[in-house]
Amino acid sequence: MAKEKVVLAYSGGLDTTALIPWLKENFNYDVVCCCINCGQGNELDGLEERAKLSGASKLYIEDIIDEFCEDFIMPCVKAGAVYEHKYLLGTSMARPGIAKKLVEIARKENAVAICHGATGKGNDQIRFELGIKALAPDIKIIAPWRMTDIWTMQSREDEIAYCQAHGINLPFDAAHSYSRDRNLWHISHEGLELENPANEPNYDDLLVLGVTPEKAPDEGEYVTMTFEQGTPVSLNGKEMKVSEIITELNKLGGKHGIGIVDIVENRVVGMKSRGVYETPGGTILMEAHDQLEELILDRETLETKKKLGSQFAQVVYEGKWFTPLREAIQAFVESTQQYVTGEVKFKLYKGNIIKAGTTSPYSLYSESLASFTTGDLYDHHDADGFITLFGLPLKVRAMKMQEVKKNNQ
C-alpha cells in the first residue's frame, strides 16, 4: 500500500532539512519537497541534491517571481500599503503566493497534508495556514514547532545531531546568525544584537542588499520612471516588466543607501518584535508611485485611499489575503488607478529620494489656478461666502458659549 504524501515547504536550510526525516519517522509520510522561488537568489543553489540526500522522494522548484510581482506586490504598491508607518510588507505579501503554490502541488500529488517550518511565535504560521485553509480546507496542516511533544529539538546543534543520526551529513553551521527572509522585494533581519531595542544595529555585518547612507556615493543619481494605470512600465527610458524594474531599482537603491528601516512592530500574536528591513527598490517604487498619484487623484479619493491603504496593509500583514475584504479594497484601489499614468523623475542621494519633476496627461494641477495671478476659474470674492458657510458651525458654537458664559455671571 502506498504511503500518504505530505508536501513540505522547503528552503534547503537546516530547519526544513531536519523536517524530512522527522516527518518520515513520526508520520510515516512520503515527503515531497516544494521550494518556491520568490527571488531569493543563490539560496536555491544545490537544493535538488540536498533534498534527495535528506530522504525526500521528490523536489519541486517553482518560480513565481512574475506572479509575485504582478498579483501580490503591485496591489500593495497601488494601495500604498505600509504597516505601522514603516514596513513595506516584504515577507507578508510573499506568503499567500507561497501558500497558493503549496496547495497546487499538494493537489497535483494527492497529498493529505502540508508542512511548514514557521515557529509558534511568529506571523508566518498565521499567513501560511490562513492561505491553506482558504484554498484547501480539507488538507491537514503540520506545524512541527508547535508540536513540542514530538518535536523536541531546541537548538541548531540539536538539529544538526538529528540530521547526522539519520545519515544526513550536510555542511550546516551551528553558529547562530541573523534570522533572515529574502525575496525580490526585500530582506528582513532579526536576532543577535537586534533582540535588544537599546542596541544600534551592526550595519556592516547586517546589510545584504546595500550600504548605509554614509557609505553611499557623494554624487546623486537621477532616475526617470513611467507608469501606466498605476503600474511601472519603464525605467530610465527602457521598457521592462515589473520584476526587471524592481531588480534594477534594488541595485540603484542599495548603492545609494535607500530603504533601510529599523522597526519595533506589533506582531499578530500579541508581542512586539524588532527587525531591520532592507527594501531599496520597493521604497523607490512606492515613493515614485505616490509622487505621480498626488498630481492626479482628487482630495477626497486620496484621503479615502490613504485610510483603506492602511487597512489593506493590516489585512495583508495578518495573512488575510484570500478574503472578501482584501478583494473589495483592491477593487476600490484598482478603480483609483485608471488615470495614474505619467512620468516621474527623482534623484537618489545618500538615503534620500528627491523629487526632480512629475508630468501626467491627467494632472489636476492647474498653473493658472495655483499661481498668484487671478485666472478665469477663480474669483477671490467667492472666498467670502465660502468661508462664511464653512466657518458657520464654529461661529454658532462660539456665540452660544459666549451667551452661556454671560448668563452664568
Side-chain angles (χ1 to χ4, degrees):
M1 189 178 158
K3 288 182 182 179
E4 288 187 325
K5 288 182 185 177
V6 61
V7 170
L8 170 64
Y10 182 67
S11 69
L14 177 58
D15 288 349
T16 55
T17 297
L19 279 173
I20 297 171
W22 182 85
L23 284 164
K24 292 167 77 174
E25 189 176 294
N26 289 284
F27 295 92
N28 197 29
Y29 278 141
D30 185 1
V31 180
V32 175
C33 287
C34 184
C35 177
I36 290 139
N37 179 12
C38 303
Q40 52 268 50
N42 58 10
E43 289 178 21
L44 302 172
D45 296 350
L47 281 195
E48 186 88 43
E49 191 188 0
R50 180 170 288 192
K52 292 279 167 65
L53 272 173
S54 310
S57 64
K58 197 184 280 189
L59 169 70
Y60 285 87
I61 296 181
E62 299 288 306
D63 184 331
I64 66 163
I65 292 174
D66 285 328
E67 185 187 343
F68 176 41
C69 291
E70 288 152 27
D71 296 349
F72 297 94
I73 290 176
M74 281 317 300
C76 291
V77 172
K78 290 173 181 177
V82 181
Y83 182 69
E84 295 190 338
H85 310 300
K86 289 182 180 175
Y87 173 42
L88 302 188
L89 301 171
T91 300
S92 317
M93 57 195 180
R95 295 320 190 206
I98 293 170
K100 185 180 170 201
K101 190 53 75 173
L102 289 171
V103 167
E104 273 176 40
I105 300 299
R107 292 287 187 226
K108 189 174 170 182
E109 289 287 336
N110 288 318
V112 297
I114 292 172
C115 175
H116 67 79
T119 74
K121 277 188 173 180
N123 294 315
D124 280 340
Q125 56 181 344
I126 299 164
R127 295 167 186 153
F128 285 136
E129 294 184 36
L130 263 57
I132 295 164
K133 284 176 196 293
L135 299 171
D138 53 304
I139 289 180
K140 191 172 150 189
I141 299 167
I142 299 172
W145 284 98
R146 302 201 303 259
M147 302 166 80
T148 49
D149 48 338
I150 48 175
W151 177 268
T152 54
M153 289 170 266
Q154 298 289 314
S155 64
R156 289 180 69 83
E157 287 84 358
D158 288 352
E159 290 178 313
I160 290 168
Y162 183 81
C163 285
Q164 286 171 343
H166 290 78
I168 305 164
N169 295 298
L170 290 165
F172 287 116
D173 180 8
H176 174 54
S177 61
Y178 295 102
S179 171
R180 291 185 165 115
D181 176 68
R182 182 175 185 173
N183 59 42
L184 186 71
W185 185 249
H186 88 153
I187 184 163
S188 63
H189 312 264
E190 290 177 347
L192 300 187
E193 82 277 1
L194 301 179
E195 290 189 349
N196 183 351
N199 294 334
E200 182 182 2
N202 186 354
Y203 284 119
D204 289 341
D205 285 347
L206 184 145
L207 296 177
V208 172
L209 299 179
V211 296
T212 55
E214 293 93 329
K215 292 190 172 175
D218 291 334
E219 287 293 310
E221 186 167 355
Y222 283 98
V223 178
T224 305
M225 289 176 73
T226 59
F227 287 80
E228 279 175 21
Q229 297 193 332
T231 298
V233 290
S234 82
L235 180 62
N236 292 334
K238 191 178 169 193
E239 283 194 19
M240 300 186 217
K241 58 183 181 179
V242 176
S243 59
E244 292 167 336
I245 287 174
I246 294 170
T247 302
E248 201 52 42
L249 288 176
N250 273 333
K251 289 178 197 161
L252 289 164
K255 174 183 168 187
H256 290 281
I258 283 159
I260 301 165
V261 166
D262 180 353
I263 182 175
V264 175
E265 73 195 60
N266 291 293
R267 284 185 183 170
V268 185
V269 290
M271 69 179 79
K272 286 187 183 287
S273 68
R274 197 265 191 107
V276 170
Y277 296 108
E278 292 180 76
T279 322
T283 302
I284 298 169
L285 178 52
M286 290 190 87
E287 184 68 32
H289 181 268
D290 286 353
Q291 188 175 322
L292 182 60
E293 205 172 53
E294 67 183 26
L295 269 190
I296 295 154
L297 295 190
D298 63 276
R299 182 186 178 194
E300 286 182 90
T301 303
L302 195 59
E303 198 176 316
T304 304
K305 188 173 171 289
K306 222 174 187 177
K307 291 174 193 163
L308 284 174
S310 179
Q311 191 174 3
F312 196 85
Q314 187 145 348
V315 166
V316 177
Y317 187 84
E318 291 178 355
K320 295 174 181 171
W321 187 275
F322 301 105
T323 59
L325 178 58
R326 191 274 306 168
E327 289 173 16
I329 298 175
Q330 192 172 322
F332 165 81
V333 170
E334 277 301 327
S335 76
T336 67
Q337 299 301 292
Q338 188 179 353
Y339 301 110
V340 182
T341 293
E343 185 178 278
V344 178
K345 190 178 179 188
F346 46 87
K347 182 165 72 171
L348 307 179
Y349 178 69
K350 292 195 177 289
N352 295 292
I353 303 163
I354 302 159
K355 281 187 185 180
T358 321
T359 56
S360 168
Y362 304 108
S363 171
L364 297 182
Y365 181 89
S366 162
E367 203 169 324
S368 67
L369 268 176
S371 70
F372 285 99
T373 55
T374 306
D376 295 339
L377 279 174
Y378 197 95
D379 185 333
H380 285 277
H381 298 108
D382 291 344
D384 279 339
F386 169 73
I387 295 167
T388 300
L389 297 180
F390 197 61
L392 192 59
L394 284 78
K395 185 169 182 176
V396 169
R397 185 177 184 278
M399 287 165 72
K400 174 54 70 178
M401 297 311 284
Q402 275 182 346
E403 187 188 317
V404 169
K405 193 175 177 183
K406 195 175 177 183
N407 290 341
N408 287 339
Q409 278 173 353

